[in-house]
Amino acid sequence: MAWFRKEKKPRQPSRERLEIPRDTWEKCEACGHTDIRDKFLRNLNVCPACDFHRRMRAWDYAGALIDDGTLNEAGGELRSVDPLGFPDYPTRLKRALANAGDTDAILTVTGLLEGMPVGIGIMDFAFMGGSMGSVVGEKIARLGQRSLEKKHPLVIVSQSGGARMQEGILSLMQMAKASAVLSQLAERRIPYISVLTNPTTGGVSASYAMLGDAILAEPGAVIGFAGPRVIKQTLGQDLPEGFQTAEFLLEKGMVDRVVHRKEMRGTLARLLRHMTGRPAAAGHDQQES
C-alpha cells in the first residue's frame, strides 16, 4: 500500500557548488610542481619545491625592494610609437599594453631601500619579451640623469630578450644612450648596481646589464648575447655544461655574486651602504653576519 512506501524525493544540495577560478593554481615551469598561486607570490615567485626563480612582474619586484610607502613611478607617461612603419607593430603594442600594462618593457621608480634613496629600473618580460626599444632607453637615461642630479645610487634589474627589432637602428641606439649616462655616473662615483635575471640576453647584455660597479644575478638565470644554438653552430663544438647560466658566469668572473631573490633586497642595501659610506642599518648586519 502507498502509505507503507517511503516516497523517494531527489536530494537538494545543501549549498551551491563553488567554482574555483582558473588562476588559483600555478605550475612551476622547471619541475612541474603545482601549488596555490598565492603561495608562489608569497615566496617571491620562487618555486617552493625546486627553488626555481620564475619570472616576476616589474611592479611586484619593485614592491619587494622598495620600502613600503616610498615607491614613486618615474617616466610613466612615455609610450612606444611606430617610427619606422613596421608591419603589425602597432597591433603588437596594443596587445602588449593590454596583457602587460602600461609600463612598457621597463618600470622606473624612485624610493627608499632600507632608508636609502635610490632609483630603480626593472624590466618586464611580459611586455614583448622585455625588448629594448626607444622608451626603455629614454627611461633609463632619465633615471640616470636624476641619479646624477640627486647623487642617488642607481639599480637596474634586467630581464630581456634583447633589442626590439621593430624599431631597428633606433633600438640599437639605446645601447649607447644608456651606456653614456652610466659612464657619467662612474665619473662622479655614484654607485650603479646591475641585477641580472632570467633571461638577460642580446643588446641588453651587451650594454647596461654588464656595466655595473657590482653585477648580481639570480640563481639559474640565462645570461649571454647570442643563444647557445647559434654559438654551437659557429664554434662547431659542444658547449660546457651550464653554459650561459649565472653560476657559470660567476665561475668565469663575469658576475660578482649569485643572490637568491629572498636575499636580494638585503644584499643591495649592504652593497649600497658600503659604496656610499653610509652606516649600517641598525640590526641588519648583526643578524645577517
Side-chain angles (χ1 to χ4, degrees):
M1 300 177 65
W3 56 80
F4 289 114
R5 296 178 188 157
K6 187 174 181 180
E7 187 178 353
K8 293 183 179 180
K9 297 181 180 179
R11 288 187 178 183
Q12 299 295 327
S14 57
R15 58 184 179 181
E16 295 181 2
R17 183 178 178 181
L18 298 177
E19 294 291 337
I20 300 176
R22 291 184 177 182
D23 60 352
T24 300
W25 300 89
E26 287 202 6
K27 186 176 181 181
C28 174
E29 300 90 331
C31 69
H33 173 74
T34 302
D35 216 323
I36 299 174
R37 183 173 184 267
D38 286 345
K39 190 171 182 179
F40 277 110
L41 295 178
R42 289 195 302 269
N43 205 36
L44 297 180
N45 228 20
V46 177
C47 178
C50 69
D51 216 34
F52 175 69
H53 283 51
R54 308 171 73 221
R55 294 193 185 109
M56 196 171 180
R57 297 302 306 276
W59 277 107
D60 294 333
Y61 213 120
L65 296 180
I66 297 293
D67 296 352
D68 292 341
T70 68
L71 190 153
N72 295 293
E73 185 179 5
E77 73 282 359
L78 297 175
R79 296 288 184 275
S80 291
V81 294
D82 183 21
L84 305 181
F86 197 92
D88 199 40
Y89 186 35
T91 303
R92 293 196 63 182
L93 283 175
K94 289 180 181 178
R95 192 183 309 131
L97 286 168
N99 295 336
D102 58 1
T103 61
D104 205 274
I106 191 170
L107 168 69
T108 49
V109 299
T110 60
L112 300 179
L113 198 164
E114 290 193 3
M116 292 176 291
V118 294
I120 302 182
I122 305 173
M123 304 195 73
D124 196 330
F125 200 83
F127 194 102
M128 296 185 70
S131 52
M132 177 185 60
S134 300
V135 166
V136 171
E138 181 64 18
K139 281 190 173 185
I140 291 174
R142 292 189 184 187
L143 193 64
Q145 190 62 40
R146 185 183 185 281
S147 292
L148 287 168
E149 295 170 358
K150 302 286 187 179
K151 296 184 178 179
H152 292 169
L154 176 65
V155 177
I156 296 180
V157 180
S158 296
Q159 186 182 92
S160 173
R164 189 175 299 175
M165 67 175 187
Q166 289 88 350
E167 296 186 18
I169 191 64
L170 298 176
S171 174
L172 297 179
M173 286 170 58
Q174 308 312 310
M175 298 168 62
K177 184 176 182 178
S179 299
V181 72
L182 294 179
S183 68
Q184 295 179 51
L185 289 175
E187 289 174 2
R188 301 189 188 182
R189 299 182 180 277
I190 300 173
Y192 162 53
I193 298 178
S194 178
V195 179
L196 313 180
T197 67
N198 185 46
T200 300
T201 57
V204 171
S205 68
S207 56
Y208 54 84
M210 289 298 184
L211 294 178
D213 299 312
I215 302 177
L216 310 179
E218 290 187 343
V222 174
I223 304 163
F225 181 68
R229 179 178 57 83
V230 175
I231 296 174
K232 183 176 179 180
Q233 290 177 348
T234 303
L235 297 178
Q237 60 186 33
D238 293 333
L239 301 176
E241 185 177 353
F243 181 72
Q244 288 189 329
T245 62
E247 291 76 11
F248 184 87
L249 268 65
L250 175 66
E251 182 183 339
K252 301 302 178 183
M254 294 187 68
V255 167
D256 295 307
R257 187 175 179 184
V258 176
V259 182
H260 195 285
R261 192 174 289 165
K262 291 181 180 179
E263 301 172 358
M264 189 62 72
R265 172 182 158 88
T267 301
L268 286 172
R270 287 199 304 275
L271 278 173
L272 292 176
R273 285 196 295 268
H274 290 317
M275 290 176 170
T276 57
R278 290 175 176 268
H284 281 285
D285 281 7
Q286 291 82 354
Q287 294 174 6
E288 294 170 359
S289 60

